[in-house]
Amino acid sequence: MGSLLASPMTWSTALIIFLWGVVLMLAVLGFVTYAIYFERKVIGWMQYRIGPNRVGPLGLLQSVADILKLLIKEDTIPRKADRALFMFAPVLAFVPSFAVLAVIPYTQKLYFADLNVGLLYYVALSGISTLAIVLGGWASNNKYALLGGMRSAAQMISYEVPLVISVTGVVMMSGTLNLRGIVDGQSGGWFWDWNFLPQIIGFAVFIVAAVSELNRTPFDLPEAESELVAGYHVEYSGFRFAFFMLTEYVYVYAIAGLATTLFLGGWHAPAPFLDFVPGIIWFGLKFAFIVFFLFWLRATLPRIRVDQLMGLGWKVLLPLSLANVFVTAVFIELFQR
């Protein structure tokens, strides 16, 4: 795929790139469908429940049935809503979540776009989803949706700051914003050459801030039914509501891929004698571990209060991320000159 992007653009090249995009879309939709199923089964197992088991063998078609139900439900738009913005908000939320996947490298040769500023590209596009959430809440002409949208924006902006600063140490150690270059910098052969050990503080801040960016438990206040009805998407139904939920799970895919790339060595094996296993398998195992960890958190932790949420972001994560940058700079100055 990378060689295609480097070649002159022709109609045939454009068609191949489009088809690869369709393949990625289908893969992501497949991931979302069965990530929902897997999450419900894992949470059921952890909470001594059964989970989906009726539709299809072992309940494997339950998510398919739920998606079909959303697609055929009536699409309602409030009478006094801003129709254009109301319809545009779910699309604005989804498109960046899918576009950021272009820069995630799966192996040395399997990637879609090799940008010199791939990490910056990811951060810039993922921030657009905040605008979509505010837009959806405001366009609904509903005070609860507006409050949910504004609170979601405050949360996402507050946690985006430490999220970005937490990966600055990785960039400093790697000397590049290119995601393939960052993975190559972790190719020492052993798992302690990966960034998660020297950047353990940055890794911890990244994971916590990423969970908040995803609006997942214990930071799911923007869509907390017990507080603001259903948050910013209270007026959405059918496939437009499905777009917001799809965005959340696509970002789960993106965050798991980014964490694997930045901190867990990407496609590299944890030890030299395990190099016979293909890199895509190692990437998939690390990716699956991050996804499982996100589901584990949802099954375990209670929702926190909004004051605890904002205090954690500004009083704990931001100072820790800044301290990590300072410590990394001192380490590079003393030991890597």
Side-chain angles (χ1 to χ4, degrees):
M1 186 62 188
S3 59
L4 284 174
L5 295 175
S7 60
M9 184 61 67
T10 63
W11 284 108
S12 59
T13 304
L15 178 61
I16 294 174
I17 293 174
F18 172 77
L19 293 177
W20 271 111
V22 172
V23 169
L24 178 61
M25 172 70 80
L26 293 176
V28 170
L29 291 178
F31 165 82
V32 169
T33 301
Y34 285 99
I36 296 172
Y37 168 81
F38 180 66
E39 179 175 21
R40 294 173 68 180
K41 294 295 281 190
V42 167
I43 293 176
W45 169 63
M46 290 183 173
Q47 298 175 347
Y48 294 99
R49 295 184 289 106
I50 296 175
N53 69 336
R54 295 290 183 180
V55 185
L58 302 177
L60 286 170
L61 297 180
Q62 181 63 59
S63 295
V64 178
D66 291 340
I67 293 171
L68 180 62
K69 177 190 71 174
L70 286 173
L71 293 178
I72 64 177
K73 283 185 69 173
E74 180 183 4
D75 175 33
T76 60
I77 300 178
R79 185 161 53 105
K80 294 185 178 181
D82 188 318
R83 292 182 62 89
L85 295 181
F86 185 87
M87 292 185 289
F88 179 61
V91 178
L92 184 62
F94 170 72
V95 170
S97 72
F98 180 70
V100 298
L101 303 182
V103 294
I104 295 178
Y106 302 95
T107 68
Q108 183 67 38
K109 297 182 179 179
L110 180 58
Y111 57 91
F112 288 87
D114 185 27
L115 301 182
N116 289 333
V117 290
L119 183 57
L120 181 62
Y121 168 90
Y122 182 100
V123 171
L125 261 69
S126 62
I128 298 177
S129 295
T130 305
L131 301 176
I133 289 174
V134 175
L135 198 63
W138 182 83
S140 299
N141 194 30
N142 179 303
K143 59 184 179 182
Y144 295 109
L146 178 59
L147 286 172
M150 295 302 294
R151 189 166 68 175
S152 178
Q155 172 180 334
M156 296 180 74
I157 292 172
S158 298
Y159 278 81
E160 193 167 338
V161 174
L163 178 72
V164 174
I165 298 176
S166 69
V167 301
T168 303
V170 173
V171 174
M172 293 167 66
M173 293 184 64
S174 305
T176 179
L177 287 167
N178 181 282
L179 292 179
R180 288 178 66 238
I182 291 174
V183 176
D184 288 339
Q186 305 173 70
S187 59
W190 296 90
F191 70 90
W192 54 72
D193 293 307
W194 302 346
N195 286 329
F196 86 95
L197 279 178
Q199 288 291 310
I200 188 64
I201 298 176
F203 181 57
V205 172
F206 176 86
I207 290 296
V208 176
V211 173
S212 181
E213 282 284 291
L214 294 171
N215 290 333
R216 294 181 61 85
T217 307
F219 306 111
D220 57 338
L221 277 78
E223 52 194 52
E225 299 89 346
S226 61
E227 303 213 8
L228 291 174
V229 192
Y232 59 90
H233 51 56
V234 63
E235 296 290 357
Y236 284 90
S237 64
F239 74 96
R240 300 190 199 281
F241 173 80
F243 260 84
F244 279 119
M245 294 299 99
L246 175 63
T247 299
E248 176 182 323
Y249 279 91
V250 173
Y251 270 125
V252 168
Y253 182 104
I255 285 293
L258 188 65
T260 301
T261 299
L262 295 178
F263 295 99
L264 300 182
W267 57 84
H268 294 302
F273 56 85
L274 295 175
D275 278 342
F276 68 93
V277 179
I280 188 65
I281 301 297
W282 286 118
F283 186 95
L285 289 174
K286 299 169 189 176
F287 175 91
F289 172 76
I290 296 294
V291 173
F292 173 79
F293 179 74
L294 295 176
F295 296 164
W296 186 5
L297 287 182
R298 181 172 180 179
T300 307
L301 300 179
R303 180 181 297 136
I304 65 176
R305 299 194 313 264
V306 65
D307 60 310
Q308 295 171 330
L309 171 82
M310 301 303 287
L312 177 65
W314 291 108
K315 297 178 182 179
V316 179
L317 297 186
L318 181 59
L320 280 177
S321 60
L322 291 172
N324 180 64
V325 173
F326 176 76
V327 171
T328 303
V330 172
F331 175 82
I332 293 174
E333 180 68 20
L334 294 179
F335 301 105
Q336 293 188 0
R337 294 186 62 180

